Structures are given as C-alpha cells and as structure tokens.
Amino acid sequence: MSQSVNPFESLQEQIEDAAAHIGVDDGVLERLKNPERVLETNLSVELDDGSIGVFRAYRSQFNGDRGPYKGGIRYHPGVSREEVKALSGWMVYKCAVVDIPYGGGKGGIVVDPSEHSTEELERLTRSFATELRPLIGEDRDIPAPDVNTGQREMNWIKSTYETLENTTAPGVITGKAIDSGGSEGRVEATGRSTMLTARETFDYLGKALPGATVAVQGYGNAGSVAAKLLEDDHDANVVAVSDSSGGVYNPNGLDAHGVKQFKNRTGSVSGYRGATEEVTNDELLTLDVDLLVPAALENAIDGELAREVEADVIVEAANGPLTPEADTVLTGKDIVVVPDILANAGGVTVSYFEWVQNRQRFYWPESRVNQELERHIVEAFDGLIDCYESYNLPDFRTAAYVVAIERVLDASAEAGNWP
Ligand code: NAD
C-alpha cells in the first residue's frame, strides 16, 4: 500500500486529465481544481481530567455551483488540510456524476477517537459543530458521517445546530439514526450501488455475473453489503474477502453472509471455517478473479501491485483505492475500472433522499429508496457509457469526470461570474 501519494494532487491530476478532453479555459480549470474555501480551526475541549485538549479541525467547501456543499466529517489522526481538500473535491464530481443537486464538502478533526471517552467525543463534536454553525445549514452545507463518525456524532451536530439556531433542521446533517430523521436503506446504499454498477458493467461487457468469481478487500459496511447483494441477487461467487487482520479464500466460494456473521462474532474474517486458505491483502488483490472490489482504504493498489492484478473488472467501493500510476497500469492491461465517484455514490444518493424526506417531513419505505437509488445509478451508468463512447475516452474514470465536469461547468456558466 502506497502512503506517499498526496490525495489532493491525485484529484487535480484526474480533473486535468478529464478536462483535456473537453477543452477548458485555464482560469476555469483552476477553479475546478481548487476549493472555494477551507475553514481551519483549533478546538479547545475540556478533557475528563479537567485539562484542556486542543484539536485541529477543517471543513473544505469545494464548489457550490450545483447546490449546497455536501460531504462527510472524519475523525482520524491522519486528517490533514490536503486530504480534506481532496475529499471535498471528489464529492463535487461524485454528486455531479449521479446528478444530485449538491456541491462538494468534507471535514475532519485530527484525533484518534479510541483514545477518548464518549463524554470527551461529545464535547469535541459539539465544539466543532459550534465552529461550523455559520457555514452549515440545510441550504448551505450538509455534513455526513465518514471514517470513525456515525449516527451518534451526526445526532450531536444536529442537536447543537438546532439548539443554537432555535429551530428544527433535521436536513442540516445526513446519516442520522432513523428516529432522528434518518432514511431507510442508507446503511446498505454504498454496497448496493457497488452491486448495481458491477451488474451494469458486466452487462455492458457481455459477461455473466452469475457464477463470476469475486474478491472483496475490506469487509466492513460497503464491502460486506456489496458481497451479500452480489451473491443474493446475482448468484455471483464470492471467493475471497479480507479486513485489516488479513484475508480468507476458497476457490469454490465462501458464504458472504456466513463470513459476515463470523466477523460480527469474532471481530475479523481470519479463521473463517469455510475458507480453504488464508491470504494476505496483497494476495487477495492479485487473485485471478472476474471482479475485484476494493472496499477498504485509499491507495490500496499502487503501480507496482497493479502490474500483478489479474481481475477482469474492478469496482471501486472505497474512495481512491488506486493510485494514479495504478490506474495507468490497469488501463494498459485492459482491466475495466468502475470509478469510486460512481460505484460508491449510493451513499451520498441515499443521503440526498434523506435530506429530501427531511425537507418534506414525509418518509419513504425502503422499497422506494432502493427503487429510486437504482434509477439514479443506472441512469448515471448509461450517461457514463454515452460519454465514454462518444468522446472515445480511454477509460470509465475519465468518462465519469467528463460527465461531472460538464455538469458543473453548465451550472457555473448559467450562474455567470459575479462579483
Ligand atoms: P468500514 O469501517 O465499515 O469498513 C472498512 C473495512 O476495511 C473494515 O473491515 C476494515 O477492517 C477493513 N480494512 C481497514 N484497513 C484495511 C487494510 N489495510 N486492508 C484490508 N482491509 C482493511 O468502512 P466503510 O464504510 O465500509 O468504508 C470503506 C470504504 O468505502 C472507505 O474508503 C469509505 O470512504 C468508502 N465509502 C463508504 C461509504 C459508506 O456509506 N459507508 C460511502 C462512500 C464511500
């Protein structure tokens, strides 16, 4: 795994590559490549022993041409200004490619949450929400969960915002618990869009998904749901899965539900009895399978590892799992890569449905959420293919960025440049 790649540089490279196909003026390109603003703040929080802890935090608002900024908040020691800027940019293009009316944002606090009590984390979250208050709002900027944050943190942010604003505004945040205005289907949404884009890709390539062998790196929310849906809905054959403890493999197939139950019980996939072999993460990523789903962290496959990859199709459930060099190597090997900004866009799409339901104070059953999600993802996939074929583009990622950039440019041109 390569840690040396600067994610903001990767983002800028992807935008430049795509923009080159449609001819974008230098000034406009500069705007597409950089955030509109970044909040950097130092949060002073009283710790349980009475001392004061100071935590650096960021919120990047990348582009608001298509609607309110939208994107998660992560708690991690590795959070940096560059990472937050990159992630906020990816959100712009992700929302545009699935055509939901949002711009992109992202935030984070430099903290290892495992070192803090629930009370400290609540004070930290409420302190950040207070700093964010002038920037966020149902029509301004709508945060969501990301690495190490979930429904609990979202409910604290919502409660702080609503208390300070003296209002109710469930749509100020998404990823809430159902009782606080969350949406049915949100938990499965990212795995579901991963499954849907795999299905559409196999269909486009004339390959059969039933019986196709599948390897999944990262058996958390996104990876395990994708594996279960591929198995349940399409009879795909999930042969290998992994998590941070290592991987398990059975060439005749694992049981996606069984491995998940085992992981829930033991904390990891390692030691699952239905496996014939234990494999390392790098071994899993280079298995000769029909479909590889990286669903763990960014930069999982670098240029060197990409030379060993033998999968026919890669569907990126994780954000940024391939380095730009890996991308070049895989395109050269004719491996089809479905980019993260489409494959994992189910999460933000159902967040959008959550916000729509919050604004309407009218809640949908899960069947309607899944049906609307499928429509959005299939239409987005078809739009990507139209663009890929009509511009004769080298790969799906470039096509996704071209579609997205054209949508952002259209909105920006219609608004004009003012002041
Ligand atoms: P998660 O925490 O539920 O699962 C992550 C999994 O990856 C865990 O099983 C963990 O053990 C494993 N993992 C961590 N480091 C690993 C390593 N070095 N090798 C192999 N496995 C490793 O997280 P998630 O919500 O499933 O998110 C996974 C990825 O999907 C992230 O890149 C995230 O940004 C992206 N994503 C998630 C959502 C969502 O709605 N959950 C939406 C969009 C994108």
Side-chain angles (χ1 to χ4, degrees):
M1 182 178 304
S2 162
Q3 292 299 344
S4 56
V5 177
N6 176 331
F8 188 55
E9 286 170 12
S10 299
L11 167 81
Q12 294 197 317
E13 216 172 294
Q14 287 163 350
I15 296 170
E16 276 170 17
D17 285 352
H21 293 276
I22 44 178
V24 179
D25 290 347
D26 285 353
V28 175
L29 182 60
E30 212 44 37
R31 191 158 177 267
L32 292 174
K33 282 168 49 185
N34 288 289
E36 289 173 10
R37 66 186 68 80
V38 183
L39 168 78
E40 179 173 337
T41 176
N42 294 295
L43 307 169
S44 312
V45 176
E46 187 175 334
L47 303 178
D48 293 344
D49 65 3
S51 64
I52 297 292
V54 178
F55 301 86
R56 176 83 37 94
Y58 306 93
R59 180 77 184 169
S60 168
Q61 297 180 329
F62 201 93
N63 183 296
D65 289 338
R66 289 175 40 86
Y69 309 100
K70 179 90 191 85
I73 290 182
R74 64 173 55 177
Y75 289 0
H76 196 274
V79 164
S80 68
R81 197 180 173 94
E82 294 294 277
E83 183 190 64
V84 166
K85 278 161 49 178
L87 292 165
S88 67
W90 277 313
M91 287 306 295
V92 175
Y93 300 105
K94 185 180 295 191
C95 293
V97 85
V98 283
D99 206 8
I100 57 176
Y102 288 140
K106 204 75 166 195
I109 305 180
V110 185
V111 60
D112 180 350
S114 68
E115 292 177 356
H116 295 275
S117 67
T118 303
E119 291 71 25
E120 288 179 352
L121 290 173
E122 177 169 355
R123 289 197 289 277
L124 179 64
T125 305
R126 289 189 184 275
S127 169
F128 193 28
T130 307
E131 283 294 318
L132 289 174
R133 177 190 170 198
L135 297 181
I136 62 175
E138 289 181 306
D139 291 314
R140 251 181 234 133
D141 183 351
I142 305 142
D146 197 82
V147 176
N148 292 330
T149 59
Q151 293 180 345
R152 183 181 68 170
E153 287 73 18
M154 299 307 108
N155 291 344
W156 286 332
I157 294 174
K158 169 177 167 282
S159 150
T160 307
Y161 181 84
E162 290 182 333
T163 305
L164 295 174
E165 294 286 330
N166 189 27
T167 188
T168 57
V172 69
I173 205 106
T174 61
K176 299 176 292 291
I178 297 276
D179 288 337
S180 303
S183 178
E184 298 289 347
R186 173 62 186 88
V187 173
E188 297 80 23
T190 304
R192 187 170 288 280
S193 64
T194 303
M195 174 277 283
L196 290 167
T197 50
R199 182 191 79 188
E200 294 302 301
T201 304
F202 272 60
D203 194 35
Y204 176 70
L205 298 173
K207 289 169 71 73
L209 197 45
T213 49
V214 182
V216 180
Q217 186 211 22
Y219 215 54
N221 172 275
S224 68
V225 172
K228 287 191 275 186
L229 291 173
L230 284 162
E231 214 177 72
D232 291 351
D233 295 3
H234 300 290
D235 289 327
N237 189 13
V238 177
V239 293
V241 304
S242 69
D243 59 20
S244 45
S245 69
V248 288
Y249 176 54
N250 182 339
N252 296 317
L254 303 161
D255 164 19
H257 288 270
V259 189
K260 184 63 183 161
Q261 281 158 8
F262 180 81
K263 181 172 163 72
N264 289 346
R265 225 173 35 245
T266 64
S268 77
V269 299
S270 294
Y272 175 64
R273 277 214 240 134
T276 50
E277 277 179 58
E278 301 266 326
V279 286
T280 65
N281 266 287
D282 282 1
E283 283 165 353
L284 177 138
L285 293 166
T286 53
L287 285 172
D288 184 4
V289 285
D290 297 306
L291 172 63
L292 173 63
V293 179
L297 299 175
E298 58 269 28
N299 298 336
I301 304 180
D302 60 15
E304 202 178 316
L305 196 62
R307 287 181 191 90
E308 319 267 310
V309 168
E310 293 198 39
D312 294 341
V313 175
I314 298 179
V315 176
E316 295 182 331
N319 283 315
L322 311 184
T323 64
E325 194 196 342
D327 228 4
T328 310
V329 171
L330 295 168
T331 304
K333 290 170 70 171
D334 282 336
I335 295 176
V336 174
V337 177
V338 183
D340 48 5
I341 61 168
L342 175 60
N344 70 29
V348 74
T349 304
V350 176
S351 281
Y352 163 56
F353 299 157
E354 177 178 336
W355 178 82
V356 168
Q357 295 169 74
N358 293 153
R359 309 304 301 274
Q360 296 183 335
R361 302 294 208 262
F362 179 76
Y363 289 86
W364 306 350
E366 188 177 351
S367 55
R368 177 166 176 200
V369 172
N370 290 345
Q371 194 185 347
E372 291 283 354
L373 174 61
E374 179 159 356
R375 184 173 68 79
H376 269 76
I377 296 296
V378 172
E379 280 178 11
F381 185 86
D382 291 346
L384 181 153
I385 294 297
D386 277 353
C387 175
Y388 173 72
E389 290 181 347
S390 58
Y391 283 100
N392 198 16
L393 295 172
D395 51 52
F396 284 10
R397 189 185 316 279
T398 312
Y401 276 92
V402 169
V403 169
I405 287 173
E406 284 186 330
R407 288 193 177 136
V408 175
L409 288 176
D410 285 349
S412 159
E414 283 159 19
N417 194 39
W418 185 86

